[in-house]
Amino acid sequence: MSVLLSGVGPVRFLALSSARAEQNASHRVVTAQSAEKQKQTASPASKPAVGASPVAAAKEEDLVVRAARSNRMYVSSGGDLGALGVKKGLDVPFNIRSYNASLILNQQSQTLGDVLLNDPTVRTTTGYGNYAQLFQIRGFTLYGDDIAIDGLYGVTPRQLVSPQLYESVQVLNGASAFLNGAAPGGSAIGGNVNLVSKRATATDITRVTGDYTSSAQGGGAVDISRRFGQDRAYGFRFNAAGMDGETPIHGERRADIALGGAFDWHNNDTRINMNMNYQKQQVFGGRSAIIVSSLATDMPVPIPTSPSKNWGQRWAYTDLSYLFGTMGIEHDFGRHMTVYGKFGAQSGNEMGNYATTTLTNSRTGDGSVGAMATAYNVMNEATQAGVRAHVTTGFIKHEINAGGSAIWEEADSAYAMSVPGVPGNIYNPTQFTPNETYASGNMNNPGRVSWNKLYSLFLSDTMTFWHDRIALTGGFRYQDILSNSYNYGSGEKLTHYESAAFSPVIGLVVHPIKHFAVYFNRIQGLSAGTTVGASYVNAGQVFAPYESTQYEVGAKYDVGRFSAGVAFYQTSMPYGVVETDGNTSQLIYTQNGRERNRGMELTFNGEILRGLRFNGGLTLIDAKQMRAADDANNGKTVIGVPNYTINGNLEYDVPFVKGLTLVGRVISTGKQQFNNANTTHLPAWSRFDLGARYTFLVRGKALTTRFEVDNVGNQRYWASVYQSNLIMGDPETFKFSVTADL
């Protein structure tokens, strides 16, 4: 398909003239220099010289448009589905999307949460007392511990993730115990996120970026990619990014560094890749969440403060350093069988001193401010291996996947805290000096507090027939979870947990016509059960893993340059509750609690008109407490789960100014219940982001400038109250960056 832009002239997209080329544009960068070599033209100027031929001018225009197109927002349907491998979205019974590296670059994303602001099915919030990001998908939690890299759990930095090291961010909606195994942090019930590392591209890259974010944050990035050797079989990719300075929140400063090196090699039947990364994220004087679980049910939602107001303490900080990497190998035994193996590891060191406000009066803003210093070190390893075989029996084609995975995690920790808290107020905050006298463990030499091992075996068969129009997947994963906890001070073992479960899956995809599919799946989520504590009558009882069950039906349409999908789902998840033991006054801990989430997801992405691209959609969620600890709350909505979420991203290539693109984004979130009794709720909120970017040539090299304003108008709103952590919306933020492809 030829593409013409009005106002640009007789431009021919020789390398990007088909829908398939548009899809591949996100995986290669066509710089002005490489484009010139491909076209064997030697014109160095950004404008034709006097007397130059019209053909030369057209070639220069071609270079500008090519550079602009390589920077476009692109969201693909499909990604890594763990046990099933990398699949196109149209061919699988699951809802999965991938956000590309150019989107991360254009939006100057500093954390994973910044990237996921683009997804209509995900909302980002903050952990208890610290600055760690956690995510809500289909009304369930996804902890930072349970983000995967290249399909491996346990390797990703726990609290904050620098996204500049990754080629794409993949979002899978729904439970995934069969696909990926049980998440080591016990979350990923409503969905998970997989990060795909950057690797050497077919076209060499030398890219330098400088950026600035208000109030006074400056930084930059370098991205270098090379292929070399016979048949360019060897590849190397290096990325470095960093930023430091004051954020738009008064008194808050953030600094981050991310370094990554990736190497790969391939021949006709073998592929090897390896990457090593270092990440350091720091926050000083940060604004943390407000804990509202102590409020009485008759208390209203507090009035939002100014978005830039900071009720945190100047001495509060977090310092997060991680060294991590992965290695993978694949080998094809002929056309019908592939074996593969992956290995990953992470070493992390976390230090912090946190100030957390527990609100006691939402009308006046009064509360108690606690201080807690922590030291936390992790050493994790993960591995996965399997075989993928294609066989045919009669008129049925089979793809058989078999393999296993294992994760080992050890955590060392210590803490010190002040008891009781200091009086404080979110509207009129005061500073104090922490007196953290209650301590456990050695802060200078933390001892082991937990050791976990998860291993699993999986087997599946995907059968396709009726000219590949019907695909039926069936399989299971056997998962064993072992977890030990240890005393902070003495290192004595406190609890031992080990249990196992089978997680089955069934999925069906039907293609009634080309480019369209309807699908169904039944799949489970899995997390470790509970070892009952000494304060209950059933002390010492070891529960089996919590098994959540999901049913989903949906439809997809994908023609390459545009895709759309709709999904309807129900997920039922058990959880622990405390009950009275019969007619006695004793308490018993059970797994009788249950939450049931139902919803609809509608997503769109791609080019809807020539030069006009859209990504976004709508989610409706009905999250209910079905068997709550308090019977009066049965049927009430779960705290902090919005009844709807809407996202819309637009990009428009201005036809009369070649290289100029206008961008806009809207993020809207419905009401969220403030307490379990549903006596009050956070009001719905919306925020708007606007910007533009311009790509042009300087001495034959492509330069891209970007300007963006997030939260135009500085709207004040409470963004989330998930898990009773009240989070303030981000203030108005100005971003500017320049990227040169050398």
Side-chain angles (χ1 to χ4, degrees):
M1 179 183 68
S2 299
V3 181
L4 298 177
L5 296 184
S6 60
V8 176
V11 179
R12 296 179 62 205
F13 297 107
L14 301 179
L16 296 169
S17 60
S18 67
R20 175 60 60 189
E22 290 187 34
Q23 288 182 326
N24 293 336
S26 65
H27 302 294
R28 65 180 186 269
V29 179
V30 183
T31 64
Q33 184 177 17
S34 64
E36 284 184 306
K37 289 180 180 179
Q38 292 171 9
K39 295 170 71 69
Q40 297 182 351
T41 178
S43 175
S46 59
K47 293 184 179 180
V50 176
S53 70
V55 174
K59 290 179 179 179
E60 291 293 351
E61 290 174 343
D62 195 2
L63 300 184
V64 173
V65 178
R66 284 173 182 269
R69 287 172 64 86
S70 69
N71 275 324
R72 67 186 298 178
M73 173 181 69
Y74 187 75
V75 182
S76 62
S77 175
D80 190 341
L81 287 171
L84 299 181
V86 177
K87 300 292 183 183
K88 292 175 57 178
L90 196 65
D91 297 336
V92 295
F94 307 102
N95 187 359
I96 182 171
R97 297 165 308 287
S98 299
Y99 296 86
N100 72 337
S102 65
L103 181 148
I104 296 172
L105 175 64
N106 285 331
Q107 295 181 354
Q108 296 175 225
S109 301
Q110 296 298 310
T111 66
L112 179 59
D114 293 340
V115 180
L116 294 179
L117 281 174
N118 299 285
D119 195 291
T121 69
V122 181
R123 285 298 180 262
T124 302
T125 183
T126 303
Y128 178 85
N130 56 24
Y131 313 111
Q133 290 182 333
L134 56 89
F135 309 97
Q136 182 192 112
I137 306 177
R138 293 189 171 178
F140 296 105
T141 305
L142 174 63
Y143 294 123
D145 306 60
D146 296 335
I147 304 295
I149 294 181
D150 296 332
L152 292 173
Y153 280 139
V155 183
T156 312
R158 287 182 352 113
Q159 297 196 35
L160 295 169
V161 176
S162 299
Q164 299 94 332
L165 302 178
Y166 306 104
E167 183 62 36
S168 68
V169 174
Q170 300 176 347
V171 179
L172 170 67
N173 292 69
S176 59
F178 163 75
L179 297 173
N180 303 297
S187 64
I189 301 301
N192 67 7
V193 173
N194 180 52
L195 309 174
V196 179
S197 301
K198 285 183 177 179
R199 297 191 177 95
T201 57
T203 304
D204 290 346
I205 298 172
T206 305
R207 177 175 296 152
V208 179
T209 299
D211 48 38
Y212 173 83
T213 302
S214 61
S215 296
Q217 284 185 292
V222 175
D223 187 356
I224 299 173
S225 175
R226 294 289 186 272
R227 301 211 68 86
F228 49 91
Q230 186 176 0
D231 299 326
R232 296 171 64 84
Y234 297 89
F236 177 74
R237 185 83 176 260
F238 173 75
N239 276 268
M243 179 169 275
D244 190 2
E246 296 181 3
T247 75
I249 299 173
H250 292 156
E252 180 181 277
R253 175 175 159 255
R254 293 190 178 231
D256 63 82
I257 298 173
L259 302 173
F263 171 83
D264 70 90
W265 172 85
H266 70 271
N267 62 15
N268 290 335
D269 51 22
T270 304
R271 297 161 296 279
I272 300 174
N273 63 78
M274 179 177 65
N275 63 82
M276 287 294 298
N277 307 296
Y278 172 76
Q279 176 191 301
K280 187 179 185 67
Q281 290 262 6
Q282 296 174 298
V283 183
F284 303 96
R287 181 176 70 187
S288 62
I290 302 170
I291 311 305
V292 297
S293 55
S294 298
L295 290 178
T297 56
D298 61 348
M299 281 286 182
V301 176
I303 298 173
T305 68
S306 167
S308 59
K309 193 173 188 63
N310 190 350
W311 48 77
Q313 297 292 311
R314 286 190 289 268
W315 46 262
Y317 79 97
T318 189
D319 190 326
L320 314 170
S321 299
Y322 306 94
L323 182 65
F324 56 102
T326 63
M327 180 177 180
I329 182 170
E330 291 183 345
H331 180 75
D332 300 327
F333 289 93
R335 292 168 27 188
H336 302 293
M337 181 179 293
T338 299
V339 296
Y340 62 89
K342 300 178 183 179
F343 175 79
Q346 176 202 169
S347 174
N349 297 281
E350 305 174 4
M351 292 289 293
N353 203 354
Y354 304 102
T356 305
T357 300
T358 299
L359 200 63
T360 56
N361 190 320
S362 59
R363 294 185 177 91
T364 63
D366 290 334
S368 175
V369 184
M372 182 173 182
T374 64
Y376 191 91
N377 301 329
V378 295
M379 176 60 74
N380 299 343
E381 296 175 331
T383 187
Q384 183 182 117
V387 58
R388 184 169 297 116
H390 295 83
V391 298
T392 301
T393 58
F395 63 92
I396 301 177
K397 299 177 183 178
H398 300 262
E399 180 181 287
I400 299 173
N401 285 278
S405 64
I407 303 171
W408 298 267
E409 296 186 329
E410 180 176 334
D412 304 335
S413 185
Y415 67 88
M417 58 191 303
S418 59
V419 179
V422 176
N425 188 285
I426 62 172
Y427 301 121
N428 298 290
T430 57
Q431 297 293 315
F432 67 92
T433 300
N435 183 25
E436 294 157 331
T437 56
Y438 181 82
S440 188
N442 186 342
M443 293 285 291
N444 295 319
N445 186 24
R448 183 167 64 172
V449 295
S450 69
W451 185 83
N452 303 319
K453 182 179 75 172
L454 297 86
Y455 67 85
S456 67
L457 300 171
F458 62 84
L459 175 67
S460 72
D461 184 7
T462 298
M463 298 173 286
T464 59
F465 45 93
W466 193 31
H467 305 291
D468 296 337
R469 289 190 174 187
I470 298 178
L472 177 65
T473 298
F476 69 90
R477 184 185 290 260
Y478 170 80
Q479 180 79 62
D480 185 272
I481 303 174
L482 185 151
S483 178
N484 293 335
S485 67
Y486 301 86
N487 184 279
Y488 269 79
S490 66
E492 177 187 359
K493 184 188 291 186
L494 297 178
T495 62
H496 172 78
Y497 175 89
E498 184 171 12
S499 191
F502 282 89
S503 298
V505 64
I506 184 168
L508 175 67
V509 181
V510 179
H511 297 274
I513 60 174
K514 190 177 181 181
H515 305 306
F516 179 75
V518 293
Y519 71 92
F520 162 83
N521 73 62
R522 182 195 184 275
I523 191 170
Q524 291 186 322
L526 193 69
S527 58
T530 303
T531 300
V532 180
S535 58
Y536 303 103
V537 68
N538 59 333
Q541 181 177 356
V542 177
F543 286 113
Y546 292 97
E547 295 178 318
S548 60
T549 303
Q550 171 190 286
Y551 295 90
E552 179 179 351
V553 296
K556 305 175 184 180
Y557 175 75
D558 192 341
V559 291
R561 65 179 181 84
F562 178 80
S563 65
V566 61
F568 299 88
Y569 66 88
Q570 174 179 296
T571 304
S572 179
M573 183 188 75
Y575 59 88
V577 295
V578 178
E579 300 176 326
T580 302
D581 185 21
N583 295 325
T584 71
S585 60
Q586 294 179 305
L587 298 178
I588 184 172
Y589 189 91
T590 73
Q591 286 187 317
N592 292 336
R594 186 163 295 275
E595 176 181 337
R596 187 217 63 205
N597 292 5
R598 291 174 174 168
M600 183 273 287
E601 296 165 343
L602 185 64
T603 56
F604 302 91
N605 66 78
E607 191 170 35
I608 53 180
L609 294 173
R610 184 177 300 170
L612 180 64
R613 296 174 293 279
F614 177 82
N615 168 65
L618 162 70
T619 299
L620 305 177
I621 309 177
D622 179 30
K624 297 296 186 185
Q625 307 170 64
M626 302 307 295
R627 292 202 295 266
D630 185 347
D631 289 342
N633 294 331
N634 288 340
K636 301 291 181 65
T637 300
V638 177
I639 293 175
V641 178
N643 58 345
Y644 71 83
T645 57
I646 299 174
N647 284 56
N649 287 28
L650 278 174
E651 287 193 350
Y652 178 57
D653 298 328
V654 179
F656 48 85
V657 182
K658 69 176 184 289
L660 176 63
T661 300
L662 303 180
V663 298
R665 179 172 64 186
V666 59
I667 304 171
S668 184
T669 301
K671 69 178 183 180
Q672 305 169 52
Q673 295 300 326
F674 193 64
N675 52 45
N676 284 322
N678 292 180
T679 57
T680 187
H681 62 268
L682 298 189
W685 60 268
S686 297
R687 116 178 189 193
F688 299 89
D689 307 332
L690 296 174
R693 67 175 180 270
Y694 180 53
T695 300
F696 56 99
L697 296 179
V698 175
R699 297 184 179 275
K701 310 296 184 182
L703 266 72
T704 301
T705 61
R706 309 173 188 86
F707 179 73
E708 182 177 335
V709 182
D710 293 345
N711 189 14
V712 174
N714 205 29
Q715 300 292 321
R716 59 174 66 194
Y717 59 93
W718 296 115
S720 172
V721 69
Y722 191 58
Q723 297 185 340
S724 295
N725 297 333
L726 187 62
I727 310 297
M728 189 70 195
D730 292 330
E732 187 174 55
T733 304
F734 299 88
K735 298 179 179 180
F736 176 77
S737 68
V738 179
T739 296
D741 287 313
L742 305 177

